[in-house]
Structures are given as C-alpha cells and as structure tokens.
C-alpha cells in the first residue's frame, strides 16, 4: 500500500524512553482561554458553517493557515479534549460539516479536500479542544493518487486484524503499520467511519492511556480513514533510511484492542 519498510521489534518497547509521554492534563488557564468553547465565538474568524441552533459543530477559517484555503472544524461547544468522548450526535454533525465543506470546495472548482485530525501537541495540535482541519487543494495529493486500491482489499482479508465494526465500517490494524496500533477504517458512510474512529481511539486509550494521534480521510473510492497513534518517536533510521521500527506487532495490537 505504501512501499515503506517495516521492522517489527517488540523487544525495543522495553527500553528506557521507548514510549512518548501522554498529553498534559487540562489546566485552569486552558479552560479560561480556549477560543473554541461556546460563548467565545468572537475569538475565532467568522464561521463559514454552523450545524445546529444552538450550534453543535462550527467551521471557521484557520487563523494561521499554511494554505490559501484552510478551515478548522470545532467538534463540540463544550471543552471536550478527546475525540473518543464525543457522542453520536456530535459525530453525525461532524460528518455533516465535513461533507458540506467538501461539497462546497468542489463547487468552487477545487480538486480535493484533505480532512484531518491532529490530537495532542505531539501530533501537531496547538489547541486541546477537539477539532479537525480541512485543507482545500487544487488537485489530489500524490500519496492519495498513488495508493494501491488492491492493498485495501488485501487488508480487509485479514480477519485476525479486525478490531471493531460499526454500521458497516470496520477498523483493521495495518499489517505493515509504521507505528503501534496504526489502523485503517473502511466501509459505510462518512458518519460510520468517524464513529468507528471514535471507538477505535477509545480502545487504544483504554489499552495505553491518553495519547496523541493523527488521522486523515482519503476521499477516494472507497473512502477510508488512516489512523496513526503517536506513541513512539520517529528517529534517524525512520527519517533517514525509510525503515520504520514498530514495537507492537499487528496481531498483538489487534488482540489488545479486541479485548
């Protein structure tokens, strides 16, 4: 699917410093200053979309964009820090917001929207209030265009790596994951995918405690989500040689999350 080299080395998981620290706990200052909480709508740029009245999900332009058109999707009016703590109504509203903005970008002539979630500072998030980002691009990114669709079918044939199913969506541990518990979520509607991702995050949190993670949507046929926990650090062998050391073999990861 990716052409990357993977080395499974479970023994390295026992070495000092093998695991990254968990996200910091919320502080009173964080709660007082969060611009995404309800009642502080004036602290963000004017919204481009609001789901619900009162709102359940808001979409606003990114205040510090790296691209010409980049939006932030606020997942809840309450100060929810972990995606796993969102309820079904919030997940459905999030899916509605993503789809609405993806359709709007297509209507404006853009070629692709890269929808992503960064949770935790180690995953690149600057604010702990649960949110996602929509990066609007002129064309489909090369990694998305180059993805081998047959590899998705191959992954689904690994019944031993399936960890959960939800309304037609299935979460599967990647048989060649570059990091512990790396997974794909496939099948069903966008709301089904996001709901399964929510449940998957919760299971990893139960197994390993609070953690940082990234996920992104490949809006292809079939659409699917990539999920990458940030439990271990990339070092010189990964960055320089393209060989990724994973300390949790896929079968062991699947067993831990099914329990």
């Amino acid at each position: 699917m990716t052409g990357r080299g993977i080395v499974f080395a479970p023994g390295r998981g026992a070495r000092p410093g093998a695991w990254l620290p968990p996200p910091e706990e919320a502080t009173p200052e964080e709660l007082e200053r969060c611009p995404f909480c309800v009642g502080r709508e004036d602290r963000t740029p004017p919204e481009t979309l609001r789901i619900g009245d009162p709102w359940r999900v808001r979409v606003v332009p990114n205040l510090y964009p790296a691209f010409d058109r980049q939006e932030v999707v606020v997942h809840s009016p309450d100060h929810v820090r972990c995606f796993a703590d969102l309820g079904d109504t919030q997940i459905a509203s999030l899916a509605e917001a993503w789809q609405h903005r993806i359709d709007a970008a297509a209507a404006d002539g853009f070629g692709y929207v890269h929808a992503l979630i960064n949770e935790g500072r180690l995953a690149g998030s600057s604010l702990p209030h649960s949110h996602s980002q929509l990066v609007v691009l002129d064309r489909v990114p090369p990694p998305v265009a180059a993805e081998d669709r047959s590899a998705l079918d191959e992954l689904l044939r690994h019944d031993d790596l399936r960890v959960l199913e939800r309304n037609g969506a299935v979460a599967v541990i990647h048989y060649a994951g570059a990091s512990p518990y790396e997974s794909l979520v496939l099948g069903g509607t966008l709301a089904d995918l996001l709901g399964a991702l929510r449940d998957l995050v919760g299971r990893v949190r139960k197994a390993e405690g609070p953690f940082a993670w990234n996920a992104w949507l490949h809006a292809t046929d079939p659409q699917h989500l990539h999920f990458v926990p940030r439990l271990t650090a990339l070092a010189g062998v990964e960055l320089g040689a393209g060989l990724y050391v994973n300390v949790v073999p896929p079968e062991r990861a699947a067993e831990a999350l099914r329990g």
Side-chain angles (χ1 to χ4, degrees):
M1 183 180 296
T2 63
R4 62 194 178 190
I6 307 296
V7 177
F8 292 108
R12 285 185 61 79
R15 77 189 195 281
W19 299 87
L20 293 173
E24 297 177 353
E25 295 185 0
T27 64
E29 182 181 25
E30 172 190 315
L31 298 175
E32 291 172 3
R33 293 189 174 185
C34 178
F36 292 162
C37 288
V38 66
R40 299 172 186 165
E41 291 80 4
D42 60 334
R43 301 187 190 182
T44 68
E47 63 195 32
T48 56
L49 179 67
R50 170 185 292 229
I51 303 294
D53 186 18
W55 67 270
R56 296 185 299 275
V57 169
R58 294 178 74 230
V59 183
V60 300
N62 192 309
L63 194 59
Y64 305 100
F67 301 87
D68 290 339
R69 187 160 162 177
Q70 185 172 348
E71 297 180 323
V72 173
V73 185
V74 182
H75 296 168
S76 172
D78 302 318
H79 196 75
V80 176
R81 299 177 98 238
C82 184
F83 192 76
D85 294 329
L86 294 174
D88 289 343
T89 299
Q90 295 304 127
I91 292 293
S93 297
L94 172 59
E96 181 182 351
W98 275 20
Q99 193 62 62
H100 187 285
R101 298 308 294 158
I102 289 171
D103 292 343
D108 289 341
F110 290 93
Y112 191 80
V113 175
H114 186 56
L116 63 107
I117 303 172
N118 302 329
E119 184 166 291
R121 192 168 295 277
L122 290 174
S125 177
S126 57
L127 289 171
H129 190 129
S130 185
H131 66 283
S132 51
Q133 297 195 47
L134 303 174
V135 180
V136 181
L137 303 171
D138 291 331
R139 60 184 65 88
V140 178
V144 179
E147 191 169 58
D148 184 356
R149 302 297 182 264
S150 65
L152 296 176
D153 296 332
E154 171 64 22
L155 185 64
L156 286 173
R157 285 194 284 270
H158 285 260
D159 290 339
D160 58 325
L161 299 183
R162 294 189 178 210
V163 295
L164 64 88
E165 295 188 29
R166 176 189 171 87
N167 298 333
V170 57
V172 188
I173 296 292
H174 201 308
Y175 55 78
S179 64
Y181 304 104
E182 181 176 344
S183 309
L184 270 74
V185 184
L186 310 96
T189 66
L190 182 54
D192 296 333
L193 290 172
L194 289 169
L197 175 65
R198 184 266 316 271
D199 296 346
L200 179 61
V201 172
R203 293 198 185 187
V204 177
R205 182 175 64 176
K206 182 179 179 181
E208 298 291 347
F211 68 105
W213 56 276
N214 302 98
W216 55 90
L217 176 71
H218 276 188
T220 54
D221 185 17
Q223 65 178 350
H224 55 281
L225 288 163
H226 289 251
F227 169 64
V228 180
R230 303 297 289 271
L231 291 162
T232 56
L234 298 180
V237 69
E238 291 89 2
L239 298 174
L243 297 172
Y244 293 84
V245 179
N246 188 338
V247 300
V248 182
E251 296 81 7
R252 198 173 93 192
E255 183 179 1
L257 298 191
R258 279 196 299 264

